[in-house]
Amino acid sequence: RTKTRRNDTMPLRLDVKKKLTAQSERVKSVDIHPTEPWVLAALYSGNVMIWDYETGGCVKSFELSDLPVRCAKFLARKQWFLAASDDMRIRVFNYNTMEKVKEFEAHADYIRSLEVHPTLPYVLSSSDDMTIKLWDWDRNFDCTQIFEGHSHYVMQVKFNPKDTNTFASASLDRTIKIWGLGSHTPHYTLEGHERGVNCIDYYPSGDKPYILSGADDRTVKIWDYQTKSIVHSLEGHDHNVCAVLFHPKLPLIASASEDGTVRIWQSTTYRAETTLNYGMERAWALAASPNTNKLAIGFDEGCVCIELGSDDPVASMDTTGKVVWASNNEIKTASVRGVASTGGEDDEGLPDGERLPIIPRDLGACELYPQMLKHNCNGRFVAVCGDGEFIIYTAQALRNKAFGQALDFVWSGSGTGDYAIRESTNLVKIFKNFKESQTIIPATTSADGLFGGHLVGVKGGDSGVLFYDWDSGEFVMKIDVSPKEVYWSDAGNMVLLACEDTAYVLTHNAQVTANAIAMGQVSPEDGIEGSFDLLYEINDTISSGKWVGDCFIYVNNKGRLNYSVGGQIQTLVHLDTSGAGTTVHTVLGYLAKEDRVYLIDKSLNIVSYRIMLAVLQYQTAVMRGDFDAANELLPNIPESEYTMVARFLESQGFKEEALAVTTDPDHKFDLALELGHIDIAHSLMLETPEEDKETTDTMTKWKKLSDAALKDTNLELCEAASIASNDFSGLLLLYSATGNLEGMEKLAKLAREDGKTNVAFVSNLLCGNVEACADILIETKRLPEAAFFARTYLPSRVDEIVGMWKEDLASISETAAKALASPSENPDLFPDHEIALKVEQMFLAQRAATSDSGIPASDYMTAKDDLELNLIELLKQRAPPPAALAPVASPEADVVMVDAGEVKTEDSGGEFQDAAMSESEALKAEEAHLEAEQARIAAAAELEAEQARLAAEQAADAELEAEQARIAAEQAAAAEAKRLEEERLAVEAAEAAAAVEGGAKEDDLDDFGDDW
């Protein structure tokens, strides 16, 4: 095709962002990992460092040698790195495990360079011994070939990416030699540098047969290795050039020099773009990655990693699914329509998130480096912008339609050939059908950006965006936010302004705007009132997005694919992110016929995710409150999407509607419980498949249903749910609270079978089944507890259980086992043991008597006091005294107790006759006698107590009277003593006054008192 654009070029305008600054000793070599955000640095101190340029931290550090390490390279496919040091040895480490894989002596002098073959298991090394060696790591790093031919130090070697069987070498003998892996001698030599050559690099793509070299003559030269001639020579450095490279992704040449600078040149025009100086003394090394825009630099005082421009994909998709993207200057296209789904009802096609197997087609090379690529509204044209220029191509054949110089380029949202350009910071031009129609001078200090869509948006330097009409160029309104991007809906009624950490969704009233412009009611300062209204905000950082109707689908900076309906955010999927946790995907577009949204990552891989258009329309109708429209749309939604719709309804508070829509049993169960429909929840549980009945999830659901039924006082359902969930604790509470003896007995059995011994023990104890309680304690090896339990409730089993305890304890301490006492061996230590055995028999007899009917709850008020009875003391009180138990004299017969079951008499004639009284009658008589005796004793004791009380009261009264008399006497004595004291004091005072008066009269001349 003919070249129709101007020959003079504009700068690339690539922003340079510093990603890493790592202070260290002198860095002699750097390398960038192809997939991880790592920089490998070889230090003059003998160490090797791995830095993370996303976090700025040191990932790993290796101490290799006491001598300088001059070269280190990643070998990513083996998780290794190789390093060469001045001890003439090459070391290989696994950078994950930090294990040394191999160490061997490689050369007879310092090793200057290492180069890894892109596909074969080969490594090249070059040295000051003037040789190059080839090592095969599949053969345990055997040296398989030696290349000789240079007459001075060999400073660097590089494989040819176009023909990996050849490589080039740079030497201080001022030459560059080209070698083949099958020959020990060079194919040919390139000569042209005036001093020693330090570094070389091959052009990364195959369209130019170029070699780049840097030398001590301070120049950088580009060679054509086919014609063996110098294409161009770059000058500007003030000292030796130590490293050069063609950037594998950007159209740039980088060179590093001992003058401390790194110069960036354009690789197509060889124009100097920029010079970087970070004040870290001499620059020694450079490295770049084919997958990123990063550039690593090694200095005397550490290393720096920078990002050149943006590494976001330069791609666009039209409404039919045709994708156009740029890879360097190459423009490629492919169609994603039908790739992700086959269109069948049963076949869902590729899983969501899987890379689409598209077949790209080359459209040709772009004449500028693309930094923006965008389809127009109907997909017929595609615009490429970069280097301060734009070119409009036909989308099918990449034929030139228009071109020009522009800082920014945007398409109209409706007109096929309508676009706008930002020609300078104070001039915007609008083109209609590829012809200039309007010129806008924005009412702002500086026009820093341009946004397309249904209105022309100008990003002002005063933190605002100004909108202008496409047809008339009239000012519509200024919005006081500073958006990174503006997204218009297809209908033009909604616009999203994506700012740094939030986004604003506004409605645009196109009719108001058109009427105001037609009637000339546009204010130059305020624009058109009522043209925009704020609808809602999205508190998220949007990196890219696309409107689908009134729903906005977007990717945020954390790698989540979300969509917003009426301000409500729904997360579809968590995408892969970079090492720093930021997104690597960009939204390409949405195909309504396939119900899929398409995304592209930074490696130009395209993936898709299914989002039903009918679902989005339904949710939009719900957010508008239009349930009639929503109900009409519901049949269009496949049942497989009903659960997602139900969860959306639930999030909006429409839980009854969600319960009616959802098809997920789990979701339906949760909603039924939340709404109090325990009958629905119960029916769902009864439908649980047989294979899922014993799962933890099912048991948890039964427990939730049990709690809900208890809250609703549905005790029958509560019991059934608790049994189904094996909630023995809940059943224990339920049965004990309701007095359900039959249920408690059943629970005791179930809990014991299931190994829930605590519940089984309590259940049996509440049922009075003390034998089972003792057995549970024995089964669980709680023998001390069992012994003490038997001492209280089952004295007949104390000997048995103590014997078990002794046997068990003897394995630990024989002495301790012998110290245990039992009733049979130590009866004196178990007082009242015989009476306790009788109490046990009484308890068992009463339990047997009430086993069929139990004790009714109505008896509690009268039976509760029995809980405080001391049965052993009670039996001891009822036992007859010794006198009562002696034979009673009778004039007719002497009664002799022969045994426990028979009574005989002996008359005066010495003959024995059968007793006239039966055993029961004798017992009754004995009991009556005992009761009468106890009553008499009690009456006598009560009388004595009363008499003692009266005597005590009388004695107290007498003592009180005596005390009162004593107090009265003391008071009288005290009063008398007070009176006598007062009289004595009065007499003494009178005598003293008389003495003073008499003395004065006798000796008026005595002045002793005055002197004193």
Side-chain angles (χ1 to χ4, degrees):
R1 70 178 176 269
T2 58
K3 187 170 183 177
T4 56
R5 55 191 283 258
R6 293 173 55 180
N7 289 326
D8 54 326
T9 57
M10 296 287 287
L12 282 176
R13 297 193 301 126
L14 292 174
D15 294 330
V16 178
K17 299 177 184 176
K18 190 189 293 186
K19 303 289 287 185
L20 170 72
T21 300
Q23 301 285 340
S24 68
E25 296 86 357
R26 183 187 306 169
V27 177
K28 295 297 292 182
S29 169
V30 288
D31 195 18
I32 296 181
H33 196 281
T35 57
E36 300 289 344
W38 293 349
V39 173
L40 182 71
L43 307 186
Y44 203 75
S45 61
N47 296 339
V48 172
M49 314 287 285
I50 299 178
W51 300 93
D52 188 319
Y53 56 72
E54 295 285 2
T55 64
C58 177
V59 180
K60 283 172 184 158
S61 175
F62 300 81
E63 295 182 5
L64 269 65
S65 169
D66 294 332
L67 298 172
V69 180
R70 295 186 182 272
C71 187
K73 291 284 184 180
F74 277 120
L75 182 47
R77 59 185 184 269
K78 300 289 286 184
Q79 287 84 50
W80 293 347
F81 74 82
L82 301 92
S85 57
D86 281 2
D87 57 6
M88 289 83 81
R89 303 180 73 80
I90 293 176
R91 294 172 176 84
V92 184
F93 282 84
N94 184 311
Y95 53 70
N96 286 332
T97 65
M98 301 184 71
E99 173 191 6
K100 184 190 290 185
V101 178
K102 181 74 175 177
E103 178 181 348
F104 57 95
E105 186 170 346
H107 286 272
D109 207 336
Y110 295 165
I111 303 169
R112 295 284 180 173
S113 171
L114 294 172
E115 175 74 355
V116 179
H117 195 282
T119 56
L120 298 175
Y122 296 159
V123 176
L124 284 172
S125 63
S126 66
S127 168
D128 287 0
D129 64 7
M130 299 180 289
T131 66
I132 302 166
K133 294 185 179 181
L134 182 71
W135 310 90
D136 187 335
W137 68 71
D138 278 353
R139 298 184 182 180
N140 197 28
F141 286 93
D142 280 350
C143 179
T144 58
Q145 202 167 348
I146 300 176
F147 304 90
E148 297 178 317
H150 281 294
S151 57
H152 210 308
Y153 301 164
V154 185
M155 302 300 289
Q156 191 173 10
V157 286
K158 275 284 181 180
F159 278 109
N160 185 347
K162 188 177 180 181
D163 178 9
T164 55
N165 286 320
T166 62
F167 65 92
S169 61
S171 171
L172 293 187
D173 62 9
R174 307 180 184 182
T175 66
I176 300 166
K177 293 185 182 292
I178 310 300
W179 312 75
L181 291 181
S183 172
H184 294 281
T185 57
H187 293 338
Y188 53 88
T189 301
L190 301 177
E191 295 181 300
H193 279 290
E194 298 176 2
R195 299 189 66 181
V197 184
N198 293 313
C199 45
I200 50 171
D201 195 22
Y202 274 97
Y203 191 77
S205 58
D207 58 336
K208 294 179 181 178
Y210 288 173
I211 287 178
L212 189 66
S213 64
D216 288 345
D217 59 10
R218 305 179 183 180
T219 65
V220 176
K221 296 186 185 297
I222 298 98
W223 307 77
D224 186 322
Y225 58 77
Q226 291 180 343
T227 62
K228 304 178 183 61
S229 61
I230 297 174
V231 177
H232 201 86
S233 184
L234 305 176
E235 298 180 357
H237 282 295
D238 298 330
H239 214 297
N240 302 339
V241 178
C242 302
V244 292
L245 62 77
F246 283 110
H247 198 285
K249 189 176 180 183
L250 302 172
L252 298 175
I253 293 171
S255 59
S257 167
E258 289 185 44
D259 61 12
T261 66
V262 174
R263 288 181 173 266
I264 307 295
W265 323 74
Q266 203 168 355
S267 62
T268 52
T269 64
Y270 308 115
R271 184 187 62 245
E273 288 287 331
T274 187
T275 300
L276 307 174
N277 190 336
Y278 292 106
M280 300 177 74
E281 301 299 331
R282 295 173 292 182
W284 293 103
L286 295 171
S289 167
N291 301 319
T292 68
N293 291 7
K294 308 296 186 298
L295 178 68
I297 313 164
F299 291 97
D300 268 340
E301 297 178 1
C303 67
V304 171
C305 183
I306 60 175
E307 184 177 67
L308 299 166
S310 171
D311 58 354
D312 291 334
V314 180
S316 176
M317 186 177 88
D318 66 9
T319 54
T320 65
K322 290 180 182 176
V323 181
V324 178
W325 70 92
S327 178
N328 290 331
N329 289 70
E330 301 294 323
I331 307 297
K332 301 177 185 295
T333 185
S335 176
V336 298
R337 186 173 54 191
V339 176
S341 59
T342 59
E345 293 184 0
D346 299 329
D347 191 353
E348 295 292 333
L350 285 175
D352 283 354
E354 189 166 319
R355 180 175 176 269
L356 300 184
I358 58 174
I359 301 174
R361 177 171 64 89
D362 287 332
L363 287 177
C366 182
E367 299 166 28
L368 52 81
Y369 177 69
Q371 292 174 268
M372 185 280 291
L373 188 151
K374 188 73 175 175
H375 281 95
N376 72 331
C377 59
N378 61 11
R380 286 182 57 193
F381 300 101
V382 62
V384 178
C385 191
D387 297 358
E389 301 178 61
F390 73 91
I391 305 176
I392 299 175
Y393 295 105
T394 58
Q396 293 294 329
L398 208 68
R399 286 194 293 268
N400 289 26
K401 178 66 177 177
F403 66 93
Q405 293 189 351
L407 300 175
D408 286 307
F409 176 97
V410 293
W411 286 108
S412 165
S414 55
T416 299
D418 299 353
Y419 61 90
I421 62 170
R422 182 170 67 99
E423 198 169 74
S424 67
T425 57
N426 57 6
L427 186 63
V428 173
K429 289 184 177 180
I430 296 176
F431 292 77
K432 301 287 290 183
N433 198 21
F434 302 101
K435 294 180 181 179
E436 184 177 340
S437 65
Q438 299 286 341
T439 298
I440 297 173
I441 299 176
T444 181
T445 56
S446 171
D448 295 338
L450 202 60
F451 306 112
H454 288 266
L455 294 176
V456 179
V458 179
K459 183 177 182 180
D462 51 356
S463 297
V465 57
L466 296 86
F467 287 104
Y468 294 86
D469 181 61
W470 280 99
D471 294 329
S472 64
E474 291 284 356
F475 174 53
V476 177
M477 183 170 278
K478 178 183 179 182
I479 310 294
D480 290 323
V481 295
S482 182
K484 298 183 299 180
E485 189 56 79
V486 173
Y487 301 93
W488 284 88
S489 64
D490 292 337
N493 63 326
M494 300 179 77
V495 61
L496 182 140
L497 309 180
C499 301
E500 190 63 37
D501 53 4
T502 189
Y504 302 91
V505 177
L506 298 90
T507 57
H508 172 234
N509 194 326
Q511 189 64 43
V512 169
T513 302
N515 290 343
I517 293 173
M519 299 175 67
Q521 298 176 347
V522 180
S523 169
E525 293 82 16
D526 300 327
I528 301 171
E529 185 177 356
S531 56
F532 285 96
D533 286 306
L534 178 64
L535 197 58
Y536 56 85
E537 295 182 29
I538 299 175
N539 293 318
D540 208 348
T541 302
I542 296 173
S543 61
S544 61
K546 171 72 177 175
W547 283 97
V548 179
D550 291 344
C551 170
F552 187 71
I553 304 172
Y554 69 93
V555 174
N556 70 5
N557 65 327
K558 298 299 183 184
R560 291 187 182 92
L561 178 60
N562 298 339
Y563 67 90
S564 169
V565 179
Q568 295 295 320
I569 308 300
Q570 303 286 325
T571 298
L572 287 167
V573 69
H574 292 255
L575 304 166
D576 293 335
T577 59
S578 67
T582 57
T583 184
V584 295
H585 289 86
T586 301
V587 176
L588 275 176
Y590 181 84
L591 292 183
K593 291 184 178 179
E594 299 192 8
D595 292 322
R596 284 189 172 272
V597 61
Y598 293 86
L599 293 83
I600 187 169
D601 65 16
K602 294 184 178 183
S603 300
L604 301 178
N605 299 314
I606 299 175
V607 296
S608 72
Y609 292 90
R610 194 161 187 249
I611 306 176
M612 298 290 297
L613 179 61
V615 172
L616 298 179
Q617 293 171 338
Y618 177 91
Q619 292 178 348
T620 303
V622 170
M623 290 304 300
R624 289 199 307 261
D626 189 355
F627 281 95
D628 293 335
N631 291 331
E632 291 178 5
L633 288 166
L634 190 60
N636 299 330
I637 300 174
E639 284 195 12
S640 60
E641 303 294 325
Y642 274 19
T643 299
M644 188 177 76
V645 170
R647 293 194 184 278
F648 170 78
L649 290 169
E650 181 187 9
S651 70
Q652 300 307 307
F654 306 118
K655 294 181 180 179
E656 289 285 358
E657 292 80 359
L659 179 62
V661 169
T662 185
T663 56
D664 181 7
D666 293 339
H667 190 213
K668 198 165 193 173
F669 176 84
D670 292 337
L671 286 171
L673 284 187
E674 199 169 344
L675 294 167
H677 301 321
I678 58 175
D679 50 343
I680 297 177
H682 188 206
S683 62
L684 287 169
M685 293 306 301
L686 294 177
E687 296 170 3
T688 304
E690 193 67 34
E691 62 272 13
D692 294 336
K693 286 186 176 180
E694 299 300 323
T695 62
T696 304
D697 185 50
T698 302
M699 294 297 181
T700 303
K701 287 182 183 177
W702 277 116
K703 180 68 173 69
K704 289 181 179 178
L705 180 59
S706 170
D707 294 341
L710 184 60
K711 186 177 180 181
D712 199 43
T713 64
N714 189 337
L715 300 184
E716 184 179 351
L717 178 56
C718 177
E719 179 183 2
S722 297
I723 292 173
S725 63
N726 291 336
D727 182 15
F728 298 126
S729 300
L731 287 170
L732 179 62
L733 174 65
L734 178 66
Y735 291 149
S736 60
T738 57
N740 189 339
L741 177 62
E742 182 182 353
M744 191 68 77
E745 290 173 342
K746 182 170 63 175
L747 172 62
K749 182 179 179 182
L750 288 173
R752 190 169 180 181
E753 290 174 354
D754 201 54
K756 301 295 187 292
T757 52
N758 286 342
V759 175
F761 181 89
V762 175
S763 302
N764 279 304
L765 187 62
L766 291 175
C767 293
N769 191 355
V770 291
E771 297 92 339
C773 292
D775 291 339
I776 289 171
L777 291 172
I778 292 170
E779 290 169 5
T780 55
K781 298 298 182 183
R782 309 290 290 271
L783 296 175
E785 291 91 334
F788 285 104
F789 181 84
R791 178 75 174 90
T792 305
Y793 295 101
L794 286 171
S796 61
R797 296 188 62 181
V798 172
D799 279 320
E800 171 199 349
I801 296 174
V802 170
M804 295 181 186
W805 188 7
K806 282 186 175 184
E807 184 179 348
D808 183 66
L809 189 57
S811 62
I812 301 172
S813 171
E814 190 73 33
T815 304
K818 289 179 179 179
L820 295 176
S822 65
S824 59
E825 297 176 359
N826 310 90
D828 54 319
L829 298 178
F830 292 85
D832 301 329
H833 183 66
E834 294 299 327
I835 299 176
L837 292 174
K838 292 181 181 179
V839 172
E840 179 185 351
Q841 295 303 317
M842 289 171 57
F843 167 73
L844 295 177
Q846 183 186 14
R847 189 183 67 182
T850 59
S851 60
D852 294 335
S853 60
I855 302 174
S858 58
D859 290 353
Y860 173 73
M861 296 305 295
T862 56
K864 65 178 182 177
D865 295 334
D866 293 345
L867 298 175
E868 304 299 329
L869 289 177
N870 187 330
L871 298 180
I872 292 178
E873 290 299 323
L874 189 61
L875 275 189
K876 288 171 67 177
Q877 290 176 7
R878 289 185 177 183
L885 295 176
V888 179
S890 171
E892 298 180 359
D894 295 331
V895 180
V896 180
M897 303 299 294
V898 178
D899 58 29
E902 183 178 8
V903 179
K904 295 186 179 181
T905 62
E906 182 181 355
D907 61 14
S908 59
E911 296 180 358
F912 292 95
Q913 298 178 353
D914 292 336
M917 188 185 299
S918 67
E919 180 185 1
S920 61
E921 292 173 346
L923 288 173
K924 287 179 181 179
E926 182 181 348
E927 289 179 1
H929 172 73
L930 286 172
E931 289 177 359
E933 183 65 22
Q934 288 172 354
R936 184 185 64 77
I937 293 170
E942 186 177 355
L943 181 60
E944 289 177 1
E946 182 65 20
Q947 291 173 346
R949 184 183 64 77
L950 291 173
E953 288 180 356
Q954 291 172 355
D957 291 342
E959 185 177 352
L960 179 61
E961 290 176 358
E963 180 67 18
Q964 290 174 347
R966 184 185 63 77
I967 292 171
E970 287 179 355
Q971 289 174 347
E976 180 65 19
K978 183 178 181 183
R979 184 184 65 77
L980 294 173
E981 180 67 18
E982 289 175 350
E983 289 180 356
R984 184 184 65 77
L985 291 173
V987 170
E988 287 179 355
E991 289 177 352
V996 170
E997 184 178 356
K1001 289 179 179 181
E1002 289 177 4
D1003 190 6
D1004 290 333
L1005 299 175
D1006 189 0
D1007 60 353
F1008 175 79
D1010 295 334
D1011 295 337
W1012 180 84

